[in-house]
Amino acid sequence: MSGASTTAKSESVSACDEQGEDDTRERLLTDANINPRTGLATDYLNHFNEAIMLLEMIPDIPECAEDFIGWRPRSYREHFEASHLSAYELIIRAYDEADPLYRAQFDRTVDSMTAILLAVNDGMRAARDDRRMILARQAADWIKPLLLRADRLIHGSLETGADRDLKQEAPEK
């Protein structure tokens, strides 16, 4: 796919909304692996899966600690700008236009994962091999529930705070 067609797709996301062409919009987003409901793409989680994989390897292959120490966080935008995905512009635009309730919770979850991974990274630099193994196991256990939460937010299957508030305020039938 050429850059021009990707740009045309990116520009068409908003145009589809304005024209009421929900089916076309949904197809464009789905074809780019973007959840049409939330505007978020699961591919971003691969960045965190890489860190988890390295952490899980450290107990068996201590040399992987150096690879983990070399891991650097990337924002959603940075991840997709560096990707070789043909629809990266559409993915970024969909993120920019994502449902604010999902995006805010998603961003907070990503920020938590990033903070933990950076702290663990610092700890790995200072620790010996035996401590690195313990830290790696603990860190993977800390990150996995957050990664699952991020995945659920991307798929729109986790209630946002506003969803819960609306349900609590709704009159009983």
Side-chain angles (χ1 to χ4, degrees):
M1 180 179 292
S2 72
S5 62
T6 303
T7 302
K9 275 189 175 183
S10 296
E11 292 168 358
S12 67
V13 172
S14 294
C16 289
D17 287 338
E18 294 169 8
Q19 298 170 13
E21 298 177 9
D22 291 336
D23 291 341
T24 303
R25 178 186 181 276
E26 186 169 334
R27 188 173 52 254
L28 283 171
L29 296 175
T30 301
D31 287 350
N33 293 318
I34 302 166
N35 183 293
R37 180 173 168 211
T38 63
L40 302 171
T42 57
D43 186 80
Y44 180 56
L45 300 183
N46 291 338
H47 181 58
F48 295 96
N49 280 322
E50 176 187 351
I52 290 171
M53 179 189 68
L54 290 169
L55 288 168
E56 290 177 333
M57 292 172 63
I58 291 170
D60 296 322
I61 309 168
E63 299 81 28
C64 288
E66 295 306 318
D67 291 331
F68 175 76
I69 289 170
W71 181 89
R72 295 290 176 260
R74 286 187 181 164
S75 69
Y76 193 91
R77 179 178 300 279
E78 290 168 340
H79 173 76
F80 287 107
E81 286 174 345
S83 77
H84 297 290
L85 296 174
S86 59
Y88 80 92
E89 291 174 336
L90 176 63
I91 295 168
I92 292 170
R93 184 171 184 126
Y95 172 78
D96 289 342
E97 297 173 0
D99 180 320
L101 295 174
Y102 285 99
R103 183 173 163 188
Q105 285 204 30
F106 178 77
D107 288 345
R108 280 193 298 274
T109 303
V110 165
D111 290 347
S112 295
M113 288 190 294
T114 299
I116 290 168
L117 290 168
L118 288 173
V120 169
N121 197 306
D122 289 343
M124 287 280 179
R125 290 175 196 275
R128 296 184 324 266
D129 281 348
D130 58 332
R131 293 288 184 199
R132 284 180 171 183
M133 288 187 263
I134 294 167
L135 183 55
R137 283 188 189 107
Q138 289 174 333
D141 289 344
W142 296 329
I143 296 295
K144 286 179 185 178
L146 292 169
L147 188 69
L148 180 59
R149 177 181 171 75
D151 184 68
R152 287 181 177 158
L153 284 162
I154 288 169
H155 289 97
S157 61
L158 183 70
E159 287 184 350
T160 64
D163 292 337
R164 284 189 304 276
D165 293 345
L166 289 173
K167 284 182 182 178
Q168 289 172 355
E169 293 173 13
E172 300 265 337
K173 291 186 180 181

